[in-house]
Amino acid sequence: MVEDDAQHRQLVELCINLTPDLRVLETHPDADTALQKLPQRPARMLLVDWHLGFNRMDGIELLHRVRGMLPLVRSVVASRYDLDGLPAGAVGFLYKHDSLTTLTAILREAAAGGHPISAAAAGPLATFYRPTGKNVR
């Protein structure tokens, strides 16, 4: 997991590790640390914060680099903001304000080969990909 907010990182790690079938193997406070450590202990899945602080590499750039180094790693983006992580190669997306139940469901589905999107993100995603000036029916 890559998350710059220490309290949020600890809370999410605790909740994931309390789930019987999921484990956080490592946490990283920034993209640079993750890029140094991931090749030494490749993960099957990576939960990435979209916005990793100002003046730092963001989660989107991290995803691009991880895909080049470790193409089999499946990534899920968590964001407070928007859906930019999907074009960067993320297989799943959720908002940070989604419930912990949603988080664990998204991680399970991504680990099983799916491409999960939280219900809260579904509407903005449809709008994001809607052709300009046309209604989708």
Side-chain angles (χ1 to χ4, degrees):
M1 174 175 40
V2 185
E3 167 62 60
D4 63 328
D5 181 312
Q7 284 185 312
H8 187 75
R9 185 174 60 246
Q10 291 170 352
L11 175 65
V12 171
E13 179 180 17
L14 175 67
C15 291
I16 290 172
N17 286 339
L18 288 173
T19 305
D21 58 331
L22 298 173
R23 284 291 163 261
V24 174
L25 299 178
E26 292 184 355
T27 64
H28 307 288
D30 57 60
D32 292 322
T33 304
L35 286 174
Q36 290 173 3
K37 302 284 185 172
L38 280 171
Q40 298 166 16
R41 190 175 177 190
R44 291 184 328 147
M45 189 166 25
L46 189 60
L47 176 61
V48 178
D49 180 8
W50 173 85
H51 189 270
L52 292 170
F54 296 104
N55 300 321
R56 293 184 182 171
M57 182 189 322
D58 66 21
I60 305 312
E61 178 62 25
L62 172 62
L63 288 181
H64 285 298
R65 292 188 186 192
V66 166
R67 283 184 68 205
M69 293 177 1
L70 303 163
L72 298 180
V73 173
R74 299 181 60 76
S75 300
V76 172
V77 170
S79 177
R80 285 187 171 98
Y81 305 106
D82 56 34
L83 302 166
D84 286 346
L86 295 174
V91 299
F93 182 89
L94 71 149
Y95 286 120
K96 286 188 170 185
H97 64 265
D98 283 325
S99 71
L100 294 171
T101 301
T102 298
L103 168 65
T104 56
I106 294 278
L107 293 175
R108 278 188 196 101
E109 187 174 340
H115 294 82
I117 305 291
S118 73
L125 181 64
T127 301
F128 183 76
Y129 284 107
R130 181 177 297 162
T132 306
K134 296 181 182 178
N135 289 328
V136 177
R137 295 185 188 254

